[in-house]
């Protein structure tokens, strides 16, 4: 039976909330977990997590992880739904920097090959102060250094160079963006790209490593203003096609995040063989409290269907689907749920 999301109540004590969550473990009542957690704000989730630990001496996120079905075990559809839900709920309850640290580590072990898009989303979409917290959480949990893991990737990949540059850019600590620097960098990109025989990776990577993400956005905007088209339109298909394709993806995530995430959700929902199938939960959870409204609008305008409807048509009926749908609008009534 699918979950009916109930409205969150401001006068409902977190102690009672935690008792309900605790009681649901024994009965394996996943409906109750979704009802208790799906519509809670970041601050409320943090308070629930702290209250639960003080009452029962255990971390809710750890308990949720334990409820996942081990990979490789025999799993029917119900157990798969349970495992996906518990994984998503666990990530939802974590602090953002803890969550990103886990996403980064999982990206290195993604079905035998690195999930570069997941790593790019972190380094492009997070503030430098947040990146610092991610690196600290990554080292604390995995006893490894995130930057070094990127550098040591084998075999080498085009994304690797860009990620190394992005990691370095977060050390620039630039507070303000400069229109003058943006114009100068735009001209350098032109002279090292379409103004010559083709893109010079060294120039692009040097600029990328020395500028903050907001500064790079202004640079690409200045390029468009000066030369009458987007920088990515100037990239020529040559010997560095792999690098240029990776660069286009990173720049789209940087400059047009709503379009980027709408496409990531669409390909994940459709489940094409080349898509990042894990993008659905990752994007829904990471963007739910940031720009999900904008992503929904772009999704509808681009693909002609509401994001909620696309999920309901493609994801099997169950608590996991209801949880994902709840993240779209933080629904407070059953009318916003799948029929």
């Amino acid at each position: 039976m699918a979950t009916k999301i109930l409205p969150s109540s401001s006068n409902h004590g977190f102690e009672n909330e935690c008792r309900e969550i605790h009681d649901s473990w024994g009965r394996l009542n996943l409906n109750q977990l979704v009802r208790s957690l799906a519509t809670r704000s970041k601050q409320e989730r943090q308070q629930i997590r702290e209250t639960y630990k003080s009452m029962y001496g255990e971390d809710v996120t750890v308990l949720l992880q334990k409820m996942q079905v081990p990979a490789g075990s025999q799993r029917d559809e119900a157990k798969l739904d349970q495992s996906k839900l518990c994984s998503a709920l666990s990530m939802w309850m974590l602090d953002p920097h803890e969550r990103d640290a886990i996403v980064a580590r999982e990206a290195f072990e993604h079905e035998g090959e690195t999930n570069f898009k997941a790593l790019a989303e972190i380094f492009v979409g997070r503030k430098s102060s947040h990146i610092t917290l991610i690196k600290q959480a990554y080292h604390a949990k995995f006893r490894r250094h995130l930057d070094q893991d990127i550098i040591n990737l084998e075999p080498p990949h085009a994304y690797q160079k860009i990620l190394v540059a992005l990691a370095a850019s977060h050390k620039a600590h630039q507070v303000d963006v400069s229109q003058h620097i943006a114009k100068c960098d735009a001209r350098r990109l032109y002279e090292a790209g379409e103004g010559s025989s083709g893109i010079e990776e060294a120039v692009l990577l040097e600029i990328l490593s020395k500028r903050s993400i907001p500064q790079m956005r202004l640079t690409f905007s200045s390029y468009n203003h000066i030369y009458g088209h987007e920088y990515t339109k100037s990239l020529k298909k040559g010997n560095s096609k792999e690098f240029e394709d990776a660069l286009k993806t990173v720049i789209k995530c940087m400059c047009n995040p709503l379009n980027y995430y709408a496409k990531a959700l669409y390909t994940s929902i459709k489940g094409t063989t080349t898509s990042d199938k894990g993008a659905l939960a990752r994007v829904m959870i990471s963007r739910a409290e940031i720009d999900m409204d904008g992503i929904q609008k772009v999704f509808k305008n681009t693909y002609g269907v509401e994001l909620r409807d696309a999920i309901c048509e493609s994801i099997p009926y169950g608590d996991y689907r209801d949880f994902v749908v709840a993240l779209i609008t933080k629904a407070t009534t059953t009318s916003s749920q799948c029929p």
Side-chain angles (χ1 to χ4, degrees):
M1 180 178 178
T3 306
K4 292 183 178 180
I5 307 298
L6 300 180
S8 97
S9 174
S10 58
N11 60 6
H12 185 49
F14 289 115
E15 291 82 3
N16 290 338
E17 195 84 67
C18 290
R19 289 189 189 97
E20 292 174 359
I21 294 171
H22 183 73
D23 291 342
S24 72
W25 298 125
R27 299 191 304 270
L28 199 60
N29 188 348
L30 301 184
N31 304 97
Q32 179 61 48
L33 292 178
V34 176
R35 287 197 298 270
S36 300
L37 304 176
T39 60
R40 293 295 179 176
S41 69
K42 174 186 171 183
Q43 291 73 21
E44 288 173 330
R45 297 194 305 274
Q46 188 174 44
Q47 287 180 280
I48 289 172
R49 188 179 172 190
E50 293 172 354
T51 303
Y52 190 94
K53 189 166 186 178
S54 68
M55 291 175 67
Y56 300 105
E58 295 180 284
D59 192 326
V60 170
T61 63
V62 175
L63 290 173
L64 286 165
Q65 290 166 5
K66 290 179 180 177
M67 292 175 68
Q68 296 177 47
V69 180
S73 61
Q74 192 171 13
R75 298 187 287 183
D76 57 27
E77 194 168 297
K79 287 183 178 179
L80 182 61
D81 186 74
Q82 170 194 327
S83 188
K84 291 169 69 175
L85 174 62
C86 290
S87 175
L89 278 172
S90 176
M91 297 296 277
W92 179 238
M93 292 298 293
L94 289 170
D95 287 334
H97 64 277
E98 293 179 288
R99 179 193 309 146
D100 284 338
I102 293 175
V103 169
R105 187 62 209 154
E106 290 179 346
F108 290 113
E109 304 165 343
H110 180 71
E111 299 180 357
E113 59 182 31
T114 303
N115 187 342
F116 289 105
K117 288 185 179 180
L119 291 170
E121 289 166 14
I122 291 173
F123 282 99
V124 168
R126 312 296 188 260
K127 294 181 179 179
S128 295
S129 57
H130 187 83
I131 293 293
T132 299
L133 293 175
I134 294 170
K135 291 178 180 180
Q136 292 172 353
Y138 188 91
H139 183 262
K141 186 171 182 63
F142 304 110
R143 313 312 301 174
R144 305 174 68 93
H145 295 282
L146 180 54
D147 288 358
Q148 200 61 44
D149 279 349
I150 294 173
I151 293 171
N152 293 339
L153 277 171
E154 291 291 346
H157 193 281
Y159 265 110
Q160 189 175 12
K161 303 175 186 178
I162 299 172
L163 287 169
V164 170
L166 288 172
S169 74
H170 284 284
K171 299 174 184 177
H173 299 297
Q174 294 162 301
V175 178
D176 300 317
V177 295
S178 165
Q179 186 70 55
H180 174 71
I181 291 175
K183 290 179 179 178
C184 291
D185 285 347
R187 291 192 177 94
R188 284 192 68 197
L189 288 175
Y190 176 82
E191 292 167 359
E194 63 180 313
S196 63
S197 58
I199 183 173
E200 293 182 24
E201 293 182 16
V203 174
L204 181 281
L205 292 172
E206 179 200 344
I207 293 173
L208 200 59
S209 66
K210 292 181 177 179
R211 309 295 186 225
S212 66
I213 299 300
Q215 182 66 53
M216 287 304 303
R217 290 195 189 102
L218 186 58
T219 293
F220 291 124
S221 175
S222 296
Y223 193 102
N224 192 353
H225 179 75
I226 296 170
Y227 300 108
H229 57 77
E230 296 178 359
Y231 172 69
T232 53
K233 299 292 184 183
S234 70
L235 298 179
K236 302 170 183 177
K237 299 294 183 181
N239 295 331
S240 57
K241 179 182 182 301
E242 188 180 64
F243 178 83
E244 291 171 2
D245 287 344
L247 183 59
K248 284 182 179 180
T249 299
V250 169
I251 293 175
K252 183 175 182 180
C253 185
M254 185 185 298
C255 299
N256 300 291
L258 299 183
N259 296 70
Y260 171 88
Y261 286 114
K263 183 178 180 179
L265 287 172
Y266 181 80
T267 55
S268 182
I269 291 169
K270 290 302 178 182
T272 57
T273 55
T274 58
S275 70
D276 174 10
K277 296 179 182 179
L280 177 60
R282 185 180 76 243
V283 171
M284 295 299 299
I285 290 170
S286 67
R287 311 309 294 185
E289 297 170 303
I290 300 177
D291 52 9
M292 186 51 64
D293 285 345
I295 292 171
Q296 286 188 81
K297 291 175 183 176
V298 171
F299 192 97
K300 174 67 182 298
N301 291 337
T302 304
Y303 303 108
V305 60
E306 297 285 355
L307 176 57
R308 180 191 297 110
D309 293 339
I311 290 173
C312 291
E313 291 171 3
S314 304
I315 306 300
Y317 183 75
D319 294 317
Y320 172 71
R321 187 179 77 174
D322 284 346
F323 172 69
V324 173
V325 171
L327 295 182
I328 298 176
T329 57
K330 306 296 267 320
T332 57
T333 65
T334 57
S335 63
S336 65
Q337 298 306 298
C338 300

